[in-house]
Amino acid sequence: MHALKNTWYQAAWSNELTGEHSLSRTILNTAIFLYRQSNGAVAALYDRCPHRFAPLSAGCVSGDNVTCGYHGLTFDPKGQCINNPHGAITQRLQVRAYPVVEKHTAIWIWMGDPSLADPGDIPDLSFIDDAPEETRICGYMHTNADYQLMIDNIMDLSHADYLHPDTLGGMMTDAETNVWQDDENICVHWLAKNAGATGAFAAMADDSNRLDISIQVEWQSPT
């Protein structure tokens, strides 16, 4: 699979790594193990022990380190083996560690050249930090489709009137639509004035069931 590697990917939501909970994720066809260290920082390792390729996620996290459940080799957050119960620690007993940053209630991972990983390149989603927690929707929509088709789908919400008439639809076709480019990003804004409130907006409408509805979608270039 051809994919951009020298860019930041969202690996998880912050609240998925709480307490002693850890995660195993597949990102760019690569198995990744995510866990929190004793100070709360997130570590991201290739989810395979170099000895017999057992998943590290099937092992045990203790403090800052993870111990493979197959033969007991222990690795630190940088992927270095720090304990081999069976003998010497050789150069090959190491696991790839990935740059990881926690920002905007999400955990971001860099799958490419670590020397190019600049946290400043993470998309500016600071509006999430300023929004009340109850207004945030964190979840997943698993889709068996090319990611480019998903971009096309979300950037053109005119289909909502026909595919989602009882939730988001009912106001998109007649809405004022504006499209503009901001640096390398593309934004689309829909504004429906005095529209009838459908399912997703009903709770915000007044007694007349009418309201102004504003929806904005932004595509941010990964390069």
Side-chain angles (χ1 to χ4, degrees):
M1 179 184 71
H2 176 72
L4 295 173
K5 289 190 175 181
N6 289 324
T7 191
W8 291 99
Y9 285 86
Q10 183 180 335
W13 296 105
S14 293
N15 59 14
E16 292 183 273
L17 280 181
T18 57
E20 298 180 354
H21 190 58
S22 59
L23 290 173
S24 178
R25 287 278 155 85
T26 300
I27 303 174
L28 304 188
N29 285 341
T30 302
I32 302 294
F33 180 49
L34 300 159
Y35 68 94
R36 287 198 185 275
Q37 304 170 55
S38 56
N39 63 359
V42 180
L45 300 177
Y46 179 49
D47 193 14
R48 292 292 183 271
C49 178
H51 181 222
R52 289 285 187 252
F53 308 116
L56 291 178
S57 55
C60 177
V61 174
S62 178
D64 294 344
N65 309 313
V66 56
T67 299
C68 177
Y70 197 172
H71 285 100
L73 277 72
T74 300
F75 302 89
D76 68 14
K78 295 182 179 180
Q80 299 298 318
C81 181
I82 59 174
N83 182 49
N84 177 7
H86 311 285
I89 297 176
T90 65
Q91 185 177 2
R92 292 189 176 185
L93 288 182
Q94 56 182 335
V95 180
R96 180 174 178 180
Y98 296 84
V100 63
V101 174
E102 191 165 8
K103 192 174 183 181
H104 307 319
T105 72
I107 296 168
W108 304 82
I109 189 170
W110 184 274
M111 300 295 292
D113 183 347
S115 67
L116 300 177
D118 180 0
D121 290 335
I122 293 175
D124 182 8
L125 304 175
S126 53
F127 67 89
I128 296 177
D129 305 325
D130 299 332
E133 186 173 354
E134 61 271 16
T135 65
R136 306 171 188 164
I137 299 176
C138 300
Y140 298 92
M141 183 180 294
H142 298 285
T143 307
N144 187 20
D146 189 285
Y147 75 95
Q148 295 176 90
L149 294 177
M150 295 304 300
I151 294 173
D152 290 344
N153 176 269
I154 299 301
M155 292 299 292
D156 181 9
L157 292 181
S158 60
H159 69 271
D161 286 0
Y162 309 97
L163 283 179
H164 315 293
D166 299 323
T167 52
L168 290 173
M171 41 69 67
M172 302 301 298
T173 301
D174 296 327
E176 298 176 9
T177 306
N178 289 292
V179 181
W180 69 94
Q181 184 170 341
D182 182 9
D183 293 328
E184 296 183 349
N185 305 328
I186 298 175
C187 301
V188 187
H189 180 253
W190 293 268
L191 175 61
K193 296 182 179 179
N194 195 32
T198 54
F201 309 103
M204 295 175 279
D206 58 20
D207 293 339
S208 69
N209 202 41
R210 313 292 295 186
L211 73 167
D212 294 344
I213 301 174
S214 173
I215 298 176
Q216 181 168 317
V217 175
E218 181 175 339
W219 178 82
Q220 298 188 348
S221 171
T223 57

